[in-house]
Amino acid sequence: MTTDTPARLLTLLSLLQTPREWPGGELAERLGVSRRTVRRDIDRLRELGYPVQATMGADGGYRLVAGKAMPPLVLDDEEAVAIAVGLRAGAGHAVEGVDEASVRALAKLEQVLPGRLRHRVATLQAATTPLTSGDGPSIAPETLTVMASTVAGHERLRFAYRAGDGTESRRLTEPYRLVSTGRRWYLVAYDLDRDDWRTFRVDRVSEPFATGARFAPRELPTGSAAEFLRRSMHRRSDSYEAVVAFAAPAEVVASRLRGWLGTPEASEDGASCVLRATVSDSPEWLAARLALLGVEFTVRAPASLVDCTRQLAARLGRATGGGDAVPGA
């Protein structure tokens, strides 16, 4: 019999989070208590905000249902390892759809994982190789989790940074947000040594260290970390302005594009749209990304993107036998 009420409640909650209906008698047997105690414990969970639904019948059943708020989850060892491995795999590359919220979740989970489970997660990840991965640079999940924790806790972050020209420096920052562009992660932060806002490519960061010093968040000049990143890219010499017309409504194109590229402008009849975006990724990569949207499009600028798109179209045509023969074939 479980006489420790908090421990019994956690065990009961873990059982109820399995998606099935639990007869009161089975719960009583699992917990080693009476059905009356089970009913009292169910009432306690409801008071804590867990929406437990009861069904009528000879042996009345209980089921945890969706409520208005997200209550804390209770995970067993296997579930915790599975979630941690999945989040770490996604965090290692700036995979589209895996944003800062996922990294914050990983940071919270790894903070409370027992040592034995941390070892299992690390061992499993080291022993497996994904069939597919993002084509951006790899990032150590630990780097992202440290950054995410300092963003959430308003804690100053120190790290070593390698600029695009290879220059090494040490930075002390007030981290504001992590932004994923689909290929890369960026940190938007206030650089205390330079007394100004900066963006940092996370794959160029090493030795991240949470200093423990708290700070009051400053107001970002643009109001949005994604918009600040877009403007920062626009100022870089290696960025370019891409103009692409789509033969599809703006809302359809926007739903398939990454948000950081901006919002397409709808035509008067609403049947087509035009995207104008400042891009720092290579024209070759952007051409391939556009081809995967599944809508007809025309590249208007720049000339380098037009050339890359034309070369990609010719290559795909040859691959399906619809173009010129491959030289030497």
Side-chain angles (χ1 to χ4, degrees):
M1 175 178 178
T2 305
T3 56
D4 184 351
T5 300
R8 190 175 66 247
L9 286 176
L10 287 174
T11 302
L12 173 60
L13 181 58
S14 179
L15 292 172
L16 290 173
Q17 285 177 343
T18 300
R20 55 161 288 194
E21 183 170 301
W22 290 87
E26 185 175 350
L27 288 176
E29 183 179 350
R30 290 283 193 113
L31 298 173
V33 297
S34 66
R35 297 188 186 184
R36 182 180 179 184
T37 299
V38 169
R39 289 194 294 271
R40 287 201 303 264
D41 287 348
I42 292 293
D43 289 337
R44 292 189 180 100
L45 289 180
R46 288 169 175 162
E47 291 172 359
L48 292 172
Y50 293 93
V52 183
Q53 184 181 76
T55 57
M56 304 300 292
D59 195 28
Y62 300 96
R63 176 190 295 271
L64 192 64
V65 298
K68 296 181 180 179
M70 176 68 183
L73 294 175
V74 176
L75 305 173
D76 62 28
D77 286 4
E78 299 301 325
E79 293 166 340
V81 169
I83 292 174
V85 169
L87 289 172
R88 284 172 64 95
H93 295 277
V95 180
E96 189 169 357
V98 180
D99 56 14
E100 185 188 344
S102 300
V103 179
R104 289 202 311 269
L106 176 59
K108 291 178 181 179
L109 181 59
E110 293 203 334
Q111 182 180 4
V112 297
L113 277 181
R116 69 181 190 283
L117 298 187
R118 287 174 182 269
H119 177 71
R120 287 179 59 185
V121 170
T123 300
L124 183 56
Q125 189 172 40
T128 57
T129 301
L131 179 62
T132 60
S133 63
D135 57 356
S138 297
I139 302 170
E142 293 81 2
T143 298
L144 284 172
T145 55
V146 170
M147 288 184 167
S149 64
T150 57
V151 168
H154 306 312
E155 185 177 352
R156 288 181 176 176
L157 175 70
R158 189 186 302 277
F159 54 85
Y161 191 70
R162 175 180 51 80
D165 61 2
T167 303
E168 304 278 351
S169 61
R170 304 287 301 185
R171 303 297 184 96
L172 178 62
T173 66
E174 294 178 352
Y176 184 80
R177 286 290 186 277
L178 282 166
V179 181
S180 170
T181 67
R183 283 185 81 220
R184 297 188 179 100
W185 284 99
Y186 290 86
L187 174 70
V188 176
Y190 191 85
D191 192 318
L192 293 171
D193 295 325
R194 289 153 180 79
D195 196 25
D196 198 5
W197 290 94
R198 291 287 190 273
T199 59
F200 302 94
R201 272 181 49 175
V202 177
D203 59 289
R204 293 175 177 170
V205 169
S206 60
E207 303 173 42
F209 175 72
T211 65
R214 306 290 177 176
F215 65 89
R218 303 169 189 261
E219 184 177 352
L220 194 64
T222 60
S224 163
E227 177 61 25
F228 184 85
L229 178 58
R230 276 195 291 268
R231 295 186 183 184
S232 174
M233 288 179 171
H234 183 72
R235 293 191 296 267
R236 295 176 184 172
S237 59
D238 58 349
S239 65
Y240 55 92
E241 188 75 14
V243 182
V244 184
F246 296 93
E251 58 270 19
V252 172
V253 176
S255 68
R256 302 182 185 186
L257 278 174
R258 300 192 308 272
W260 71 275
L261 279 174
T263 304
E265 302 172 8
S267 62
E268 291 186 5
D269 61 5
S272 60
C273 61
V274 175
L275 176 70
R276 293 176 172 84
T278 301
V279 186
S280 63
D281 290 305
S282 68
E284 293 84 0
W285 182 87
L286 183 57
R289 182 67 180 84
L290 292 171
L292 293 174
L293 292 181
V295 298
E296 297 292 326
F297 67 94
T298 301
V299 178
R300 295 180 178 174
S304 59
L305 181 57
V306 173
D307 291 340
C308 288
T309 305
R310 183 181 295 115
Q311 292 170 16
L312 176 62
R315 190 176 305 119
L316 293 175
R318 291 193 298 269
T320 57
D324 297 331
V326 178

